[in-house]
Amino acid sequence: VIPLTLGEIAAAAGARIEGADANAMVTSIVTDSRAAEPGSLFVALRGERADGHDFAGVALANGAVAALVSRGSEGALLRAGDPLDAYLRIGAALRARLGATVIAITGSSGKTCTKDLVAAVCATERATVATFANHNAEIGVPETIARADASTEVLVVEVGSRGVGHIAPLARALRPDISVVTNVGPAHIGMFGSLDDTTRAKAELVDALGADGVAVLNADDERVRAMRAPGRVVTFGVARDADVRAEDVELDGGARASFTLAIGDERTRVTLAAAGEHMVSNALAAAAAAHVAGISVAGIVKGLSEGATPPGRMQVVQSGARTIIDDAYNANPDSMAAALKALAQMGRGRPTWAVLGHMAELGDSALEEHDRIGRMAVRLGVGNLVTIGAEAKAMHEAARLEGMFGGEARFFADADAAIELLRRELEPDAVVLVKASRAAGLERVVEALS
Ligand SMILES: Nc1ncnc2c1ncn2[C@@H]1O[C@H](COP(=O)(O)OP(=O)(O)OP(=O)(O)O)[C@@H](O)[C@H]1O
Ligand SMILES: [Mg+2]
């Protein structure tokens, strides 16, 4: 964090100091009381399970300079009406003092994959700090800003959205220099309402750019391509007119993509570390953002060829001759389709299994989207489809209608029964894709098989 006095922080947060020393330096900001130490500001937030206000005493006992609270009265306090809102204001004040180039990333799919690639690429040449894991919302954005300090040259920030109006205040605090939009798709469409609303929600990150800011937009995605930016636009994609392009994309037996990366007049062959053709788009987004941030083509190529995917995203786990594709972190229609294609590619000449659970938050289109994925599995020639959970059943039924036999398409109410079948029937050289929305918790299947 950029060190500030408690007085400066209180002013930024619109908070009142009670029983604390305004001249004390804040050298870390924490939301977990157990992480508090001398110099920490503890921000009391209400979570799903716990309320940080109940732990302010613990944080202060651990040496925190003060606790930012809305209620309670003991110890060194910063009092604000809404500590979460105050946290974002503190983030904005810290941001204003940063010298780093701020790269913000949003989109329906691939934000975390892209964030990690941007960070891997930028870290080859600059002191880089990035969002931790998937901390991409109103807590994660100020948390990420607070991770940076005076030595940080590039700050990479994942920004998620739950609907129109959600990103705007986050982006105002973040003031990105470069805004990346990966794609717009039906992920969480039940929450957004329509694809138009999803597009508007993601465009808020681009709207937040200043006249000197640069929008990095996906030329292969009509909705993203059509976004208007206050300043310069740099596009990426396989589209011929994209500024940063992939040409001659090829997949190897491990579904890893190679392509010719074209930036301006420079052309270099790149092979990605991560599996799946959809990673090409993320890699191009990362290349474009890093290029705008001043990273050399050599640095971009190095970062892209070494950058791995985050846990649970297209992670290839080898267990003897058997290959497990762990994509169990989450699922939406676009990422399901992409993962099935990778399975088909990796499984050439080997038995293939798709072990799939439901895709959450699809609202009225849930039935149609599950149906589409079930049929796609058959059309891609996937050998076995194991569907888990009542909400995923439409996928199973669609596969049967599309021509899969009963022995090939099987439905289970829960993961345990499916694991039992897989233990019995999986061939030693099988390729197995495991994928579903977070709520399905299919990482249990991955654990059981690896
Ligand atoms: N460009 C892409 N197109 C489609 N699917 C993708 C793309 N990039 C990654 N995925 C897949 O989408 C899923 C989620 O990836 P990732 O965590 O990077 O996305 P995210 O946008 O950060 O998701 P979240 O909304 O949970 O933050 C994974 O299964 C991953 O393989
Ligand atoms: Mg994410």
Side-chain angles (χ1 to χ4, degrees):
V1 74
I2 302 256
L4 295 178
T5 65
L6 204 54
E8 288 170 312
I9 293 216
R16 206 169 58 230
I17 300 179
E18 292 179 9
D21 174 9
N23 293 317
M25 290 307 288
V26 173
T27 51
S28 75
I29 303 179
V30 300
T31 53
D32 181 339
S33 58
R34 290 164 298 185
E37 55 186 24
S40 296
L41 171 69
F42 171 70
V43 182
L45 299 175
R46 225 184 305 276
E48 276 165 35
R49 271 154 285 148
D51 185 342
H53 288 88
D54 299 334
F55 299 95
V58 176
L60 292 171
N62 284 343
V65 172
L68 173 57
V69 298
S70 61
R71 60 177 174 78
S73 57
E74 272 172 42
L77 303 177
L78 285 191
R79 191 179 298 281
D82 178 1
L84 182 59
D85 179 59
Y87 192 19
L88 189 61
R89 289 169 183 237
I90 295 168
L94 293 171
R95 161 65 180 111
R97 289 164 170 83
L98 283 182
T101 299
V102 175
I103 304 177
I105 300 159
T106 195
S108 291
S109 296
K111 293 180 291 296
T112 302
C113 289
T114 303
K115 177 261 295 179
D116 283 0
L117 279 176
V118 174
V121 167
C122 291
T124 62
E125 295 179 359
R126 300 268 204 285
T128 302
V129 170
T131 297
F132 176 74
N134 195 46
H135 293 195
N136 67 8
E138 47 274 85
I139 299 173
V141 168
E143 175 191 297
T144 305
I145 296 170
R147 285 165 72 84
D149 63 25
S151 70
T152 305
E153 294 172 295
V154 178
L155 181 64
V156 189
V157 191
E158 174 173 342
V159 185
S161 170
R162 288 190 308 269
V164 172
H166 183 212
I167 286 182
L170 302 180
R172 267 198 300 278
L174 191 55
R175 289 208 284 112
D177 298 298
I178 301 171
S179 289
V180 181
V181 185
T182 59
N183 48 54
V184 168
H188 313 296
I189 186 101
M191 208 151 55
F192 286 99
S194 69
L195 275 180
D196 285 343
D197 283 337
T198 308
T199 310
R200 277 208 291 150
K202 311 293 181 197
E204 290 168 15
L205 197 69
V206 175
D207 297 339
L209 288 165
D212 297 340
V214 181
V216 172
L217 301 178
N218 187 345
D220 299 334
D221 184 313
E222 255 175 86
R223 291 173 181 275
V224 177
R225 195 187 170 102
M227 288 178 183
R228 293 276 160 263
R232 186 153 79 95
V233 173
V234 171
T235 57
F236 66 89
V238 294
R240 277 171 174 281
D241 63 347
D243 299 314
V244 174
R245 271 185 324 283
E247 295 171 355
D248 305 319
V249 179
E250 288 171 354
L251 295 185
D252 70 11
R256 280 175 300 262
S258 300
F259 57 91
T260 301
L261 174 66
I263 303 181
D265 296 333
E266 292 200 62
R267 281 185 159 58
T268 325
R269 199 74 191 159
V270 184
T271 302
L272 300 180
E277 191 170 4
H278 51 309
M279 295 302 161
V280 174
S281 180
N282 301 339
L284 293 174
H291 178 64
V292 173
I295 306 296
S296 71
V297 173
I300 291 172
V301 171
K302 184 173 194 296
L304 292 184
S305 44
E306 290 171 1
T309 48
R313 282 85 155 185
M314 293 303 290
Q315 299 235 306
V316 180
V317 187
Q318 201 61 36
S319 168
R322 195 175 288 160
T323 307
I324 296 152
I325 308 170
D326 173 11
D327 206 32
Y329 163 76
N330 216 342
N332 63 54
D334 287 336
S335 69
M336 272 285 193
L340 283 172
K341 284 181 193 160
L343 170 66
Q345 176 74 18
M346 286 173 76
R348 291 213 175 135
R350 294 165 64 183
T352 50
W353 294 70
V355 181
L356 308 181
H358 76 291
M359 302 175 283
E361 293 170 344
L362 292 177
D364 294 341
S365 49
L367 186 64
E368 184 189 327
E369 296 291 359
H370 284 88
D371 183 274
R372 204 164 60 80
I373 293 297
R375 289 173 200 275
M376 181 179 284
V378 181
R379 238 166 285 155
L380 286 168
V382 172
N384 302 272
L385 176 64
V386 174
T387 308
I388 300 173
E391 289 162 281
K393 195 156 192 190
M395 221 145 46
H396 168 78
E397 281 159 3
R400 291 300 312 270
L401 284 170
E402 196 72 10
M404 261 195 176
F405 292 108
E408 296 168 334
R410 263 140 331 162
F411 171 79
F412 295 98
D414 61 60
D416 290 329
I419 288 169
E420 224 171 274
L421 168 99
L422 292 166
R423 286 213 167 110
R424 242 185 0 252
E425 293 196 12
L426 267 192
E427 302 83 351
D429 61 338
V431 185
V432 190
L433 167 70
V434 184
K435 186 164 178 68
S437 270
R438 188 91 293 287
L442 288 201
E443 59 277 357
R444 282 174 50 223
V445 176
V446 176
E447 281 157 25
L449 297 183
S450 35

